[in-house]
Amino acid sequence: MTEQRVAASFTVLQRVAAAAGVSTAGAEPIRLGENDLWRLPNKVVVRIARPGQQAAAAREIAVTRWLAEHKVPAVRPLPIDQPIRVNDRSATLWEELPPHRPGTGGELASLLKALHELPQPTHDLGLGRLDPFVRLTERINAASALADHDRQWLLNHLATLRQQWAALPTSLAEGVLHGDAWRGNVAVSVTGTAYLLDFERTSLGPPEWDLTATAVDHQTLGALSSTEYEHFCTVYGHDVMTWPGYPTLRGIRELRKVTFAFQIASENPTAAEQAHHRLACIQGQRGPRPWRWPPAA
C-alpha cells in the first residue's frame, strides 16, 4: 500500500467516523483493495466499498440484521443508521470478530444449511435474483491479454452457458443464497463458533449455486480431498454433483475464475501465463479435472 493510497482512504474514513460518532484515533488499515477495511479502537471494523456500491452496502446491512433475528452466526453491523455515504462511496461499520481461523468444508456446510432453511424474509432485504453472469462479458471484452480468437471462444462459451442456465432442471427449494460461499468466507473463533462473512453477493435463487463453489474446490481445483468433500455433503445433506444441472453451474464457476485471471493479467502481465493455462483447461487442452489452479496474482 502506497502512502498516497493510505492517506486517501484515511480521509474517507475520517468523514465516515465523524458521521458515525466514533474516533479514528489508533485506526489501522486491515486491507486496502477493491474494498477498504480499517480497524478502529473498541473492536470496530469499517468497510469502505468501492464507488457505486450503495445498494450492495445497504443489502449487506439488511441481510446481516435479518440473520441476527434468526440467530444465524454471522458478522454483525453496529446498531446505527447505515450505510454512511461519502461522495460516491458507501461505508459500513461492524463488530470486530474475535481471533479466528478460516472455516472448513464441514463448518461452511453447517452455516449454509442454516441459511438455506430459513423462511422467506417477511420484509424487503433489497435482494434481487441471482445473476451468475454479472460482469463476465465486460471482463472478456476488456482483457488485453486475450487474442481475438480466444476472446470469441469465451464469448461463445458464455452464450452456451446462458442457454443452459435458462433451461436448468428443477432444483432444491429456492431461497436466500450467500452468493460467494467458500471456506474463506467463514471465520471460526477459538471457542469453535463459525461465522459467515461477506454478503456482497447475497441474492435469491437455487441453493445449488452456493453448494457448487465447494464442489468446484474439490473437482476442479483439487483443493478439497474426497474425504473433506464427502463430509461437506454429509453435513449439508445433499451432494450437488449428483444434480443434472451441476455441470452448468460448474462451467459458470470455472468461467468466472478464468475471466478473473485475465482481469488480473490486464493489470499484472506476469499473471498472463496462469490465465492462459486456465483457458486451455476449459478448452479441453489440459486433460481431465482436477486442474489444480493456483490463486491468480
Side-chain angles (χ1 to χ4, degrees):
M1 294 181 288
T2 66
E3 290 185 9
Q4 184 177 9
R5 175 75 173 83
V6 174
S9 183
F10 185 70
T11 297
V12 178
L13 177 68
Q14 287 178 306
R15 294 182 60 184
V16 171
V22 297
S23 171
T24 58
E28 300 175 348
I30 300 172
R31 184 179 69 252
L32 303 186
E34 218 171 84
N35 299 293
D36 294 355
L37 293 178
W38 288 84
R39 179 182 292 108
L40 300 183
N42 300 320
K43 301 186 182 303
V44 173
V45 171
V46 179
R47 176 175 172 146
I48 305 171
R50 62 189 183 276
Q53 294 300 302
Q54 292 82 7
R59 183 169 61 247
E60 285 192 277
I61 296 297
V63 168
T64 49
R65 286 177 174 164
W66 175 68
L67 291 176
E69 292 172 10
H70 291 277
K71 297 181 171 50
V72 175
V75 287
R76 299 292 186 229
L78 295 191
I80 61 174
D81 186 15
Q82 53 173 321
I84 294 171
R85 182 87 172 264
V86 176
N87 297 330
D88 60 347
R89 304 187 71 177
S90 291
T92 49
L93 290 82
W94 305 84
E95 298 175 6
E96 184 178 9
L97 290 174
H100 56 270
R101 59 167 172 81
T104 64
E107 288 160 341
L108 171 61
S110 180
L111 287 168
L112 288 179
K113 183 177 178 65
L115 171 63
H116 293 165
E117 289 180 347
L118 290 179
Q120 289 289 325
T122 57
H123 49 283
D124 183 17
L125 302 180
L127 301 178
R129 291 287 305 172
L130 170 67
D131 178 6
F133 304 103
V134 63
R135 297 198 302 274
L136 288 183
T137 300
E138 293 81 357
R139 282 181 181 175
I140 294 169
N141 287 332
S144 58
L146 273 173
D148 288 344
H149 66 279
D150 283 332
R151 191 185 320 277
Q152 190 57 56
W153 187 92
L154 284 170
L155 290 171
N156 291 342
H157 185 53
L158 172 58
T160 298
L161 289 170
R162 286 186 182 276
Q163 293 173 349
Q164 294 173 353
W165 170 262
L168 280 178
T170 302
S171 71
L172 299 171
E174 294 199 355
V176 177
L177 310 180
H178 180 276
D180 191 18
W182 68 294
R183 289 166 294 157
N185 277 335
V186 175
V188 184
S189 71
V190 293
T191 61
T193 301
Y195 302 86
L196 267 178
L197 319 175
D198 192 358
F199 296 90
E200 194 173 8
R201 299 179 188 173
T202 300
S203 56
L204 298 170
E208 285 88 352
W209 179 250
D210 278 349
L211 303 180
T212 295
T214 300
V216 166
D217 266 359
H218 166 59
Q219 187 181 41
T220 301
L221 305 183
L224 206 67
S225 70
S226 295
T227 299
E228 290 172 312
Y229 181 68
E230 288 168 7
H231 181 59
F232 172 86
C233 296
T234 298
V235 172
Y236 185 85
H238 180 69
D239 182 357
V240 70
M241 291 172 63
T242 65
W243 179 53
Y246 167 69
T248 296
L249 270 59
R250 179 189 63 194
I252 297 170
R253 287 279 188 185
E254 291 172 349
L255 180 58
R256 296 199 66 84
K257 291 181 179 294
V258 171
T259 59
F260 177 71
F262 275 103
Q263 177 179 303
I264 297 297
S266 297
E267 304 162 357
N268 178 9
T270 61
E273 182 178 355
Q274 170 63 202
H276 284 287
H277 171 67
R278 293 186 182 192
L279 174 59
C281 288
I282 67 170
Q283 288 177 327
Q285 300 174 20
R286 294 292 187 271
R289 300 171 182 85
W291 294 317
R292 303 186 186 280
W293 297 338

